[in-house]
Amino acid sequence: MADVPLLAAHELTVRFGGHVAVSEVDLTVRAGCVTGLIGPNGAGKTTTFNALCGLQSVTRGRVLLDGKDISSLPPHKRARLGLGRTFQRLETFSLLSVRENVLAGAEFRQRHAEGGSPEAITDRLLDQLGLGDVADERVDALPTGRARLVEVARALANGPRVLLLDEPSSGLDEAETAEFATVLHQLTDAGLAILLVEHDMSLVMSACEDIHVLDFGRIIATGPPEAIQADEKVRAAYLGDDEDDEPEAVAAGGGGQPLAVGDELTAPEHAALVQAAVPVLEVRDLAAGYGDFDVIDGVSFQLAHGEVFALLGPNGAGKSTTLRVIAGLLPASSGSVALCGRGVLGADADELARAGLCTVPEGRGVFPNLSVAENLWMATHTGTTRKQVEAVAYERFPRLGERRSQTAGTLSGGEQQMLAMARAMATDPALLILDELSMGLAPLVVH
């Protein structure tokens, strides 16, 4: 293993107007190693990635690949020299099959480097990343976790020397994350250098040999996993304390003043339902799917007022499909759904929203070209004022207050998740449906 870093950044600084997103960042990535880049939401991790691969211009600083200054090169030339990446927001050819996605990367590689036929490279990567069983399926039909593996496979098909991975485990379950860590070690054993941005600390601590920690755009710590875990600055800014990991207990069926259900149900009617222990949501024998293929069949459960209900299962088990049916976004083939005692199966999504059901979808669903404040104002259709919506949102998520004028599409992934949550809670819903709530959030924010 070479001691000379394959990728290095020196005094990397990026400004957006008067805002310094990244300040004098020094980091190194060695061949044959997984190097971690961690930090709170909005710390500058993705901006650093963009600067390294040429998608973001820098105010000052240098980027070196194998000792060669590539700071002035455009992204496609950096890619040809061996710099590959994945993205925080999933970037795949969604209408193509898994095999066709990976083949696209392999065919690009054939034009610029040696390394076997594109078909052979594709077959090897599909097998290595456990995608052989879905090779001929369209990517937009896959769960998010498998789709992220497709993006990784396509990046590897281009034959990079350095691979930048931006939150690759988002959407993976525990077993898949452990398998992915094994794949990372196989890749580095073959000489690949990997820079990993990730919030899953089990993956970071098990896979990385070196870790850099960003906070407010600056490196606050660098070292091996053991030293990073013990660093007080890192724990305060990012990891939190182990003794704070357990959430406070909440009694099912409690929760204080009952919520009204918009125009469809008056507050006294709702209070009467709570008194009679009518579930806020009741699902019975639900079946649904896509085309002739049933994804869920015979699903039944109920949710009481004031209760948090978790729907768990491996990727592809049908969790998102179930939530889409409840939210009116996908028709059911059979079964029933009742909201506060009223049958709502087949109702339009906007009707359900007016009846008190609010969904935060996987992928956040913010308006990227609107500011943070403008996104929050979209919740004022319920009668709440702009001032009230913003006050509640900024109290729950102070970071959003600091970014109120910033365009939502330029926020970090975790900050976009905060914005989606804040906008949803501003409607004071009777039922809040959250799909992959913690995706992209730092450990302290998850707590």
Side-chain angles (χ1 to χ4, degrees):
M1 186 182 300
D3 292 328
V4 177
L6 190 53
L7 178 68
H10 297 298
E11 298 184 346
L12 208 61
T13 301
V14 177
R15 289 179 178 268
F16 297 115
H19 173 62
V20 180
V22 174
S23 180
E24 299 183 346
V25 165
D26 292 327
L27 62 81
T28 58
V29 184
R30 294 180 292 151
C33 289
V34 179
T35 301
L37 181 62
I38 65 174
N41 297 121
K45 303 182 295 296
T46 296
T47 300
T48 300
F49 261 37
N50 290 340
L52 291 172
C53 69
L55 290 175
Q56 174 62 54
S57 59
V58 300
T59 305
R60 68 185 183 90
R62 296 187 302 150
V63 179
L64 305 178
L65 181 62
D66 203 10
K68 177 182 178 181
D69 192 332
I70 62 171
S71 306
S72 62
L73 296 183
H76 70 279
K77 290 189 176 180
R78 299 190 195 197
R80 289 176 186 174
L81 289 174
L83 196 58
R85 71 165 295 176
T86 64
F87 292 83
Q88 184 184 70
R89 188 177 180 89
L90 189 62
E91 299 287 351
T92 58
F93 301 114
S94 59
L95 300 182
L96 299 182
S97 71
V98 171
R99 183 183 301 279
E100 289 166 338
N101 266 266
V102 181
L103 191 58
E107 288 177 340
F108 178 86
R109 171 182 182 171
Q110 189 179 45
R111 291 197 296 270
H112 300 284
E114 301 296 329
S117 73
E119 292 77 11
I121 292 169
T122 298
D123 288 340
R124 174 175 57 81
L125 288 170
L126 291 176
D127 180 64
Q128 186 174 18
L129 290 169
L131 295 168
D133 60 325
V134 293
D136 297 319
E137 292 189 24
R138 269 180 30 171
V139 175
D140 61 359
L142 298 180
T144 300
R146 303 298 294 279
R148 287 198 175 277
L149 293 179
V150 174
E151 189 181 23
V152 173
R154 188 185 61 196
L156 289 170
N158 194 33
R161 302 165 65 198
V162 182
L163 184 60
L164 312 182
L165 298 176
D166 200 346
E167 298 189 24
S169 77
S170 294
L172 299 182
D173 61 31
E174 187 175 350
E176 289 169 332
T177 299
E179 292 173 4
F180 186 64
T182 300
V183 170
L184 293 182
H185 287 305
Q186 291 172 351
L187 294 171
T188 53
D189 287 345
L192 185 67
I194 295 176
L195 181 61
L196 175 70
V197 164
E198 187 54 67
H199 287 303
D200 187 326
M201 287 300 99
S202 63
L203 176 60
V204 170
M205 296 302 169
S206 65
C208 296
E209 296 187 34
D210 304 309
I211 299 174
H212 303 280
V213 185
L214 270 175
D215 190 27
F216 292 105
R218 292 181 175 273
I219 297 290
I220 62 170
T222 297
E226 298 78 11
I228 294 299
Q229 284 182 298
D231 191 295
E232 291 299 325
K233 296 192 300 294
V234 177
R235 297 179 70 84
Y238 183 61
L239 295 177
D241 295 319
D242 292 340
E243 57 266 27
D244 296 332
D245 284 352
E246 290 299 323
E248 294 181 8
V250 178
Q257 193 68 21
L259 298 172
V261 195
D263 296 331
E264 301 297 320
L265 200 67
T266 66
E269 288 176 326
H270 189 270
L273 290 174
V274 175
Q275 186 69 27
V278 174
V280 68
L281 176 69
E282 187 170 15
V283 176
R284 287 192 177 183
D285 298 322
L286 198 62
Y290 304 91
D292 296 328
F293 178 66
D294 273 348
V295 177
I296 59 172
D297 184 28
V299 172
S300 299
F301 61 88
Q302 64 182 34
L303 173 62
H305 296 268
E307 186 176 52
V308 177
F309 183 90
L311 189 61
L312 306 177
N315 281 319
K319 304 183 297 296
S320 292
T321 298
T322 302
L323 299 186
R324 284 174 58 82
V325 174
I326 295 169
L329 300 172
L330 182 71
S333 52
S334 64
S336 65
V337 176
L339 180 64
C340 295
R342 296 184 176 183
V344 295
L345 193 62
D348 292 335
D350 61 327
E351 293 176 326
L352 290 170
R354 285 194 296 270
L357 186 152
C358 188
T359 302
V360 178
E362 184 180 36
R364 304 170 188 119
V366 301
F367 297 98
N369 295 323
L370 300 183
S371 69
V372 168
E374 289 167 339
N375 266 270
L376 292 171
W377 295 346
M378 300 298 285
T380 58
H381 68 278
T382 59
T384 309
T385 67
R386 292 181 178 183
K387 185 176 181 180
Q388 289 171 324
V389 168
E390 288 193 73
V392 172
Y394 301 154
E395 181 180 1
R396 284 181 171 134
F397 301 103
R399 177 59 62 87
L400 295 180
E402 301 167 10
R403 302 279 195 265
R404 67 180 310 275
S405 300
Q406 188 170 330
T407 303
T410 64
L411 298 175
S412 73
E415 290 168 338
Q416 290 185 35
Q417 187 75 305
M418 294 180 207
L419 178 56
M421 276 289 295
R423 189 182 62 202
M425 291 189 292
T427 66
D428 207 18
L431 174 62
L432 186 59
I433 295 178
L434 306 170
D435 197 355
E436 297 282 3
L437 167 64
S438 65
M439 184 180 290
L441 294 182
L444 277 178
V445 180
V446 173
H447 296 335

